Each structure stands twice: as structure tokens, then as C-alpha cells.
Amino acid sequence: IDEDDISEEDFVNVFHEIMERAQNYMPDYHPTFFELLFFMAMKWFDKKKPDYIILETGLGGRLDTTNVVEHKTLCIITKIALDHMEYLGNDLGTIAAEKAGIISHKTPVVFYDYHRDVTAVLEERVRQESVEGISFSGNKIQKMKKHEKELAELTRLRESTEKYENI
């Protein structure tokens, strides 16, 4: 938070707190490594009260641990590729459907428009959830609903991060 990592002491304390709660409430369950780190992060963020939290899904979207977050400000889906195929599917459309699982009602979504199968799946999910969808490809931004305030903010964010393109 504010460019400071969690201290070792806070990390150990939050770890013990999460493990104790897991053992008390679900004695036969052990969280995965990602779940454990996610729960620890949520507990630490709850204590530190940051203005914003940027979360990355662990694997996919539909069944991802990050879906427990109820009050999202924005959902961003970057380029979808043929990865984790043993869990997500064998083609871009199927993988996109899994990743589209992070799209939820009332949360605007921004996604990378580069492949027609992926775009079709994401646009359909945007329609199903009745949320604003903004697709981008290169320097082109296309709105699926008209909300100028959000588009202006996205454009500002994109322009301010263009210097990091080659990282």
C-alpha cells in the first residue's frame, strides 16, 4: 500500500489469523495457496483501509476466489490466450466464457478486443449482465453503452500508462 509491502510481522499475524479461522469454521478444508494469499490480502486490506484495491484473478474467472468481492468498481479483461487449457477449455471462445465469469451485474467491464470469438463471448456476457462494456484494441476504444464519464476516465488512465507499454 502506497508502495510499501506488507511487513513480515503483519504477514505472519494475518497468516495465523486466516489459518485459525479456516480451522475453526471448516476443519476439513485447507485453502489453496492462491486462496490463502487472497484471504490474507483481504484481511490486511481490511485493516489498512486503502482507497482502492487492484486484484488479479488466480485462474480463469467463473470459479475464481476473487468473485467473493461484492463491491467492484471496474472489471478489466486483458488478452485471452490458450493457457490453463486443462482447466479452462480447449479454444479461445471456451476460455473467454470462463474468464467472463468475473463480469458481474452493475460493474463496468473493459476488455481487449482482438479475436472475434473472444469478443463475441465477452459482448454476450456484458449484455446478459446489463453492464457497460468498453472494448479496446490498439488506440481504438469502443463503448457498448454511452457513459462519457467512465470513457473519459479510461482514456485518461490509458494515456497515463502508455509510457509503460514496453515493460
Side-chain angles (χ1 to χ4, degrees):
I1 298 174
D2 292 329
E3 298 186 30
D4 291 328
D5 292 337
I6 186 171
S7 70
E8 186 174 330
E9 180 182 358
D10 283 351
F11 185 90
V12 170
N13 289 337
V14 172
F15 170 81
H16 287 295
E17 187 175 346
I18 294 300
M19 289 306 294
E20 181 179 323
R21 291 183 85 174
Q23 290 169 357
N24 287 340
Y25 292 104
M26 299 173 285
D28 296 331
Y29 172 74
H30 189 285
T32 66
F33 180 72
F34 180 82
E35 290 170 337
L36 180 59
L37 290 178
F38 175 78
F39 297 145
M40 290 172 61
M42 293 300 96
K43 179 49 96 176
W44 189 62
F45 291 145
D46 185 51
K47 290 178 180 183
K48 296 296 185 177
K49 308 286 189 227
D51 295 329
Y52 291 96
I53 300 169
I54 299 173
L55 297 175
E56 181 178 5
T57 58
L59 179 66
R62 183 176 61 90
L63 300 175
D64 197 81
T65 305
T66 58
N67 277 331
V68 301
V69 176
E70 295 178 353
H71 304 290
K72 302 173 190 172
T73 303
L74 181 65
C75 169
I76 301 173
I77 300 175
T78 57
K79 186 175 181 179
I80 293 175
L82 295 173
D83 58 354
H84 307 295
M85 293 171 61
E86 64 274 21
Y87 304 108
L88 302 177
N90 294 321
D91 59 76
L92 289 175
T94 304
I95 294 170
E98 287 295 319
K99 295 203 179 229
I102 65 168
I103 299 172
S104 61
H105 188 63
K106 297 184 181 179
T107 304
V109 61
V110 177
F111 63 91
Y112 185 50
D113 176 7
Y114 78 101
H115 190 280
R116 69 179 181 277
D117 293 344
V118 170
T119 299
V121 168
L122 297 177
E123 286 178 346
E124 178 59 27
R125 180 62 188 249
V126 164
R127 280 190 285 281
Q128 289 171 353
E129 293 294 332
S130 299
V131 297
E132 177 177 6
I134 301 172
S135 63
F136 66 95
S137 59
N139 292 327
K140 179 184 166 195
I141 296 177
Q142 178 179 328
K143 296 180 290 178
M144 294 176 67
K145 288 185 179 179
K146 295 184 180 193
H147 291 277
E148 295 301 323
K149 180 180 168 188
E150 288 86 356
L151 179 61
E153 180 64 11
L154 175 65
T155 302
R156 185 191 66 75
L157 288 170
R158 181 180 54 102
E159 290 171 353
S160 68
T161 59
E162 283 180 346
K163 62 184 173 186
Y164 300 107
E165 282 182 352
N166 295 324
I167 293 178

